[in-house]
Amino acid sequence: MDPTTDNAGPTGDQGSARASLEALRAEIAKAVVGQDPAVTGLVVALLCRGHVLLEGVPGVAKTLLVRALASALELDTKRVQFTPDLMPSDITGSLVYDTRSAEFSFQPGPVFTNLLLADEINRTPPKTQSSLLEAMEERQVTVDGTARALPDPFLVAATQNPVEYEGTYPLPEAQLDRFLLKLTIPLPSRQDEIDVLTRHADGFNPRDLKAAGVRPVAGPADLEAARAAVAKTTVSPEITAYVVDICRATRESPSLTLGVSPRGATALLSTARAWAWLTGRDYVTPDDVKALALPTLRHRVQLRPEAEMEGVTTDSVINAILAHVPVPR
């Protein structure tokens, strides 16, 4: 996405919605150096009503990225630090007895927000991890038999550390499949790291985004208008077949024990449409599919142990499949 001028603002019109969402990158750059692919991925997830798994070592601004996105989009955000003793009710909320009315009332948990940052989600047991499943899939929370709708938009951005697995509970495949995208947050380049240190030396406070100049450049109305425009983006039968061929090839790969499910194929089609619209087109091309294949599919496949021992990665397998599946003309 390309930054636009500073006069972009929340309007809700389909034409200006794209300009407003494009302005996000420039706005978030006031707080986060680099990480443009992650910003774009989060915007794609919002357009597709999906959720994001952020993977990166500690200290690469995953939390700051989500907070800056919420500020630039004028959305509410909450953060939950996942720990081994965290209970499901700590996320969803619970019934609390009110001594004045002698009745139980529902106390909403942090999941009742627009952007939920689930920090180190793999550090909490499966029972607590699963408490997010209904929220992610159904956009609601059921407590004591009563379903309570979550705000719209609603996005879960869950983080996990790729290098420290002691005391963690790996996410099961069924839950991984609920995440629309898995975005890897790399270490910054040398110049980006110099810029980070320079900002901090000049007094940058990551806890005060207003002082950094981050302001709303889009809002829920822009997101709604953008979603309506994405839904009208044309997908030819050839592109649909191309997506299916890619996903079917993962099921036949000798390096994988688990391929992409039909849900994954649907996800790839959705993210490709959102990316096509963000880049200014009302139709999807094979390049759009290729651009979103890695973040959409890498967490939906499982390597064979022998392939993993040989240094094969899910990204390399998917790239090889993209190189061999015939591209429609």
Side-chain angles (χ1 to χ4, degrees):
M1 299 187 295
D2 294 324
T4 59
T5 56
D6 286 341
N7 60 5
T11 63
D13 175 74
Q14 285 190 9
S16 60
R18 183 187 287 112
S20 298
L21 293 179
E22 287 175 346
L24 282 175
R25 186 170 70 178
E27 203 63 27
I28 292 172
K30 296 177 181 177
V32 181
V33 177
Q35 309 299 2
D36 287 349
V39 174
T40 302
L42 286 166
V43 173
V44 167
L46 282 168
L47 292 178
C48 299
R49 301 179 187 271
H51 308 284
V52 175
L53 185 63
L54 299 171
E55 186 172 273
V57 298
V60 290
K62 298 187 293 292
T63 301
L64 180 60
L65 175 63
V66 175
R67 290 180 54 241
L69 177 68
S71 295
L73 277 173
E74 218 170 8
L75 298 176
D76 182 45
T77 182
K78 290 185 174 67
R79 174 180 176 271
V80 178
Q81 180 65 51
F82 279 65
T83 57
D85 60 348
L86 195 72
M87 299 297 291
S89 58
D90 295 330
I91 300 170
T92 61
S94 58
L95 295 176
V96 178
Y97 184 72
D98 188 340
T99 55
R100 290 173 295 181
S101 62
E103 294 180 349
F104 284 94
S105 61
F106 178 68
Q107 184 67 35
V111 75
F112 286 86
T113 187
N114 297 123
L115 297 182
L116 176 67
L117 178 62
D119 215 354
E120 294 188 292
I121 190 174
N122 56 337
R123 291 205 172 277
T124 200
K127 182 173 73 171
T128 305
Q129 291 177 5
S130 65
S131 65
L132 277 177
L133 284 178
E134 182 188 14
M136 292 169 65
E137 191 69 19
E138 306 296 336
R139 312 279 167 164
Q140 66 178 27
V141 167
T142 302
V143 177
D144 196 35
T146 302
R148 295 173 171 85
L150 294 173
D152 184 41
F154 173 69
L155 179 144
V156 173
T159 72
Q160 62 180 12
N161 185 342
V163 296
E164 187 180 354
Y165 292 106
E166 185 177 352
T168 63
Y169 304 84
L171 297 176
E173 285 70 24
Q175 187 164 351
L176 282 172
D177 205 34
R178 295 303 197 281
F179 286 97
L180 181 72
L181 300 172
K182 179 181 178 181
L183 304 175
T184 56
I185 311 296
L187 288 167
S189 66
R190 181 177 182 273
Q191 186 56 53
D192 283 347
E193 196 163 1
I194 290 174
D195 292 344
V196 170
L197 268 61
T198 301
R199 288 188 182 190
H200 281 266
D202 292 340
F204 171 70
N205 182 0
R207 295 172 182 81
D208 190 356
L209 295 179
K210 287 186 178 179
V214 179
R215 63 182 182 83
V217 294
D222 295 294
L223 277 176
E224 198 59 39
R227 287 169 174 173
V230 169
K232 297 177 182 177
T233 303
T234 303
V235 181
S236 69
E238 292 78 13
I239 292 295
T240 302
Y242 181 52
V243 170
V244 169
D245 289 343
I246 291 172
C247 294
R248 291 181 68 86
T250 64
R251 302 169 202 163
E252 300 167 0
S253 171
S255 299
L256 302 176
T257 59
L258 179 70
V260 177
S261 69
R263 179 191 287 142
T266 303
L268 180 54
L269 188 63
S270 297
T271 56
R273 291 178 84 180
W275 175 244
W277 181 81
L278 280 171
T279 51
R281 281 176 285 100
D282 60 358
Y283 59 91
V284 180
T285 69
D287 285 341
D288 298 324
V289 177
K290 290 181 178 181
L292 272 297
L294 282 179
T296 308
L297 304 181
R298 59 163 57 111
H299 57 296
R300 304 175 192 272
V301 298
Q302 192 174 64
L303 285 171
R304 292 189 182 277
E306 54 269 28
E308 196 168 3
M309 291 176 62
E310 293 172 359
V312 176
T313 65
T314 55
D315 282 13
S316 65
V317 173
I318 294 171
N319 279 327
I321 288 172
L322 292 174
H324 285 88
V325 173
V327 178
R329 295 184 180 273

